[in-house]
Amino acid sequence: MSVPRVLIVDDEESIRRTLREILEYEDVEVDEASDGDAALAKLRERTFDAVLLDIKMPKRDGIEVLDTCLEVWPELPVIMISGHADIKTAVEATQKGAFHFIEKPPDLQHLLVTLRSSLEKGKLVTENRRLRQTLIQQQGGTLTPMLGKSDAIRSTKDLIARVAPTEARVLITGEPGTGKELAARWLHHQSPRREGPMVAVNCAAIPAELIESELFGHEKGSFTGANRQRVGKFEQAHGGTLFLDEIGDMSMPAQAKVLRVLQENKITRVGGRRTIKVDVRVVAATNKDLRSGALEGTFREDLYHRLSVILLHMPPVRERTGDVPILLEHFSSQLSTRNGLKPKTFTRQALELLSHLPWRGNVREISNVVERLMILSESDAVTASDVQRLVLPGSGQGQEFSEMLITSEHLSDFRDKAERSFLQHKLDINNWNISRTAKQIGVQRSSLHTKIKRYNLERNA
């Protein structure tokens, strides 16, 4: 059985010393912090089972530290330490989410009973979370919170909250890995249809010849291999929400049929004659520019307007770098639960390095990197050296820059290679929208076309 680890946070050395002596006698591992800033630094570097937190401290007081704990480590039990004059504040802190409070000078028995209760609660919460995660995985998924405090993610959550209670169709745009399906699930969860089914279809993963059968179903014998009747996704989503992911990859014939369903609220199975009424709210998503596709004839303009009553853009991580530490903490907790381990924290230097990575794969890439660090780092806390050893060599940018320095003999060679890499990156993140890329980097479209030909730039598959 592991020894519980407790952090004591108080600006009075005598109080810290007294609490340390009491707890170490009870076989508790103790660490100390003399102010709020030092406490948060310790919490980011190590994992604790409980915190004893003074209310009145210099720099950052206990209430501010509590607020951060509730945001970043919501399952960590926090016991407030209060002088007699701070009792009212201590009570308010427990109403906010603190586990309990003890008065100064601490009564030995009351302290130990309160601490044991908090540690037992922490164990129960951890075990329940592990069991809940296991059950959720067996049932095929869960509703993950939309994490972050940046203006970009706040605006996204506010728009979802306004739109979800309506029947308006929503088109979610954004780069791969930004959480478009998560946004769709929150739209469903906050809607009057929440008790109905949420059915997701990845249009890019289904061959063009099978997409109609997948969406509308088919009758037995309607084509070779149709040896039984199949109910399509529109019928499965009746009374709920149908999420059409990567709709920009849907074939034109299938687009025409989806448009008709949106107009009539009826479907006909492949090979069938009977029309079936469906009551479905359609939410679609894409990482392509469907407006340009409509102008170029690769996507139906009338379908685009039907789907895009509300446009919801998921911001890439590079536009919300302040949320990276929150995402790292979340995935650390989630992955440790899945693997039956304690979550690992990140040192300040590690967070600094990770916050400045390009994160081209967005939130999905963060999850993968955290899993790598969780498995391969050897201490309780992920350090800057762990990041440099396990993440930066494979991140691409640093390695590419180093290769440019080594292989370029003249300044003009280095400049050309750097310009080529820069243009490739900007075109990729803009889905090769020439006009938008040219405007973003401050050049004429004709100039950008010339550079694309000069450097033989190609769209990544």
Side-chain angles (χ1 to χ4, degrees):
M1 182 176 178
S2 61
V3 175
R5 184 184 294 160
V6 175
L7 176 64
I8 301 170
V9 188
D10 199 301
D11 61 323
E12 296 183 54
E13 185 179 356
S14 59
I15 294 291
R16 298 201 306 273
R17 184 172 58 250
T18 299
L19 292 173
R20 174 183 280 277
E21 290 172 354
I22 293 172
L23 298 184
E24 288 184 340
Y25 184 79
E26 296 292 324
D27 293 326
V28 173
E29 183 181 343
V30 175
D31 203 345
E32 298 179 20
S34 59
D35 59 58
D37 290 338
L40 292 176
K42 296 265 188 183
L43 287 166
R44 291 189 175 101
E45 291 175 2
R46 302 187 70 186
T47 301
F48 292 90
D49 299 295
V51 178
L52 295 172
L53 178 61
D54 189 21
I55 291 178
K56 289 289 180 68
M57 293 184 295
K59 297 182 180 178
R60 195 187 300 259
D61 67 21
I63 299 301
E64 291 179 278
V65 176
L66 174 65
D67 287 339
T68 301
C69 288
L70 293 173
E71 174 69 28
V72 181
W73 306 282
E75 295 169 358
L76 175 66
V78 178
I79 301 169
M80 308 304 293
I81 306 173
S82 64
H84 183 71
D86 300 322
I87 294 298
K88 181 180 178 181
T89 306
V91 172
E92 291 173 354
T94 59
Q95 292 172 343
K96 292 180 79 170
F99 179 78
H100 200 40
F101 68 91
I102 56 174
E103 283 190 72
K104 294 181 181 179
D107 175 77
L108 173 60
Q109 196 62 32
H110 181 54
L111 168 65
L112 293 178
V113 169
T114 302
L115 182 60
R116 285 176 189 140
S117 297
S118 73
L119 293 173
E120 285 300 319
K121 180 195 174 186
K123 288 180 184 177
L124 286 173
V125 167
T126 300
E127 182 63 17
N128 286 340
R129 185 182 63 207
R130 186 186 66 79
L131 293 173
R132 187 167 59 250
Q133 183 74 16
T134 301
L135 179 62
I136 285 166
Q137 289 170 350
Q138 291 171 350
Q139 293 175 343
T142 183
L143 187 61
T144 304
M146 296 191 73
L147 299 167
K149 293 182 176 180
S150 63
D151 290 341
I153 203 66
R154 284 181 189 273
S155 297
T156 300
K157 289 192 280 189
D158 288 345
L159 182 56
I160 289 173
R162 290 180 61 186
V163 173
T166 73
E167 286 291 298
R169 298 188 189 102
V170 181
L171 178 61
I172 306 171
T173 61
E175 297 172 15
T178 50
K180 295 187 290 294
E181 182 170 351
L182 176 60
R185 292 192 177 278
W186 273 104
L187 282 165
H188 174 73
H189 179 71
Q190 297 184 40
S191 76
R193 294 174 175 267
R194 68 177 67 88
E195 299 301 325
M198 165 78 181
V199 179
V201 182
N202 186 340
C203 301
I206 303 170
E209 62 272 16
L210 296 179
I211 187 69
E212 292 182 35
S213 171
E214 188 75 18
L215 293 175
F216 313 118
H218 62 250
E219 298 292 352
K220 181 178 179 180
S222 57
F223 55 85
T224 303
N227 51 16
R228 61 184 178 85
Q229 184 189 73
R230 177 189 179 93
V231 175
K233 300 299 185 183
F234 269 95
E235 285 183 81
Q236 294 175 31
H238 182 74
T241 303
L242 178 64
F243 175 53
L244 299 177
D245 196 10
E246 303 301 349
I247 196 168
D249 292 301
M250 184 181 287
S251 67
M252 294 295 279
Q255 289 179 36
K257 292 196 174 184
V258 169
L259 176 64
R260 186 170 180 178
V261 174
L262 297 182
Q263 291 170 334
E264 301 178 357
N265 296 318
K266 296 177 183 178
I267 62 121
T268 302
R269 295 181 186 142
V270 176
R273 296 181 179 178
R274 182 170 62 95
T275 58
I276 302 167
K277 294 192 70 174
V278 289
D279 173 23
V280 173
R281 182 188 191 180
V282 172
V283 175
T286 182
N287 61 9
K288 296 182 176 180
D289 186 347
L290 295 190
R291 183 184 291 274
S292 294
L295 295 174
E296 295 165 2
T298 59
F299 195 85
R300 291 186 64 108
E301 186 173 5
D302 44 5
L303 179 57
Y304 171 75
H305 292 303
R306 285 274 179 178
L307 294 171
S308 60
V309 176
I310 302 293
L311 286 170
L312 174 63
H313 181 68
M314 295 301 295
V317 169
R318 65 180 174 279
E319 292 179 6
R320 45 183 291 223
T321 54
D323 292 335
V324 171
I326 297 173
L327 293 166
L328 292 168
E329 297 286 356
H330 166 75
F331 286 121
S332 172
S333 176
Q334 184 185 69
L335 292 165
S336 64
T337 300
R338 182 190 303 168
N339 295 317
L341 303 170
K342 277 189 175 182
K344 290 189 178 182
T345 56
F346 294 80
T347 65
R348 182 176 57 80
Q349 294 85 352
L351 288 175
E352 184 73 17
L353 281 175
L354 290 167
S355 294
H356 287 87
L357 288 180
W359 297 119
R360 295 180 183 178
N362 293 296
V363 178
R364 189 179 298 133
E365 184 185 2
I366 292 178
S367 174
N368 293 339
V369 165
V370 170
E371 186 165 17
R372 186 191 313 160
L373 290 168
M374 291 282 295
I375 294 170
L376 299 180
S377 62
E378 297 176 353
S379 60
D380 284 345
V382 175
T383 65
S385 62
D386 290 327
V387 175
Q388 291 168 337
R389 178 171 57 92
L390 300 171
V391 180
L392 293 182
S395 64
Q397 275 197 342
Q399 187 174 2
E400 184 179 359
F401 183 78
S402 297
E403 288 174 357
M404 287 181 195
L405 289 174
I406 294 168
T407 59
S408 301
E409 294 188 10
H410 301 287
L411 176 60
S412 59
D413 294 336
F414 178 80
R415 186 167 53 235
D416 287 347
K417 289 174 183 177
E419 184 176 46
R420 187 186 194 284
S421 178
F422 172 79
L423 292 174
Q424 182 76 57
H425 172 66
K426 291 299 183 182
L427 286 163
D428 287 343
I429 65 174
N430 283 300
N431 290 312
W432 274 72
N433 184 308
I434 303 299
S435 298
R436 186 165 62 211
T437 305
K439 183 178 180 181
Q440 186 181 92
I441 66 176
V443 301
Q444 296 294 323
R445 289 178 75 253
S446 58
S447 176
L448 180 55
H449 275 295
T450 300
K451 291 178 183 293
I452 289 172
K453 290 180 182 179
R454 175 186 174 188
Y455 294 125
N456 295 317
L457 298 176
E458 295 180 355
R459 184 169 190 159
N460 292 324

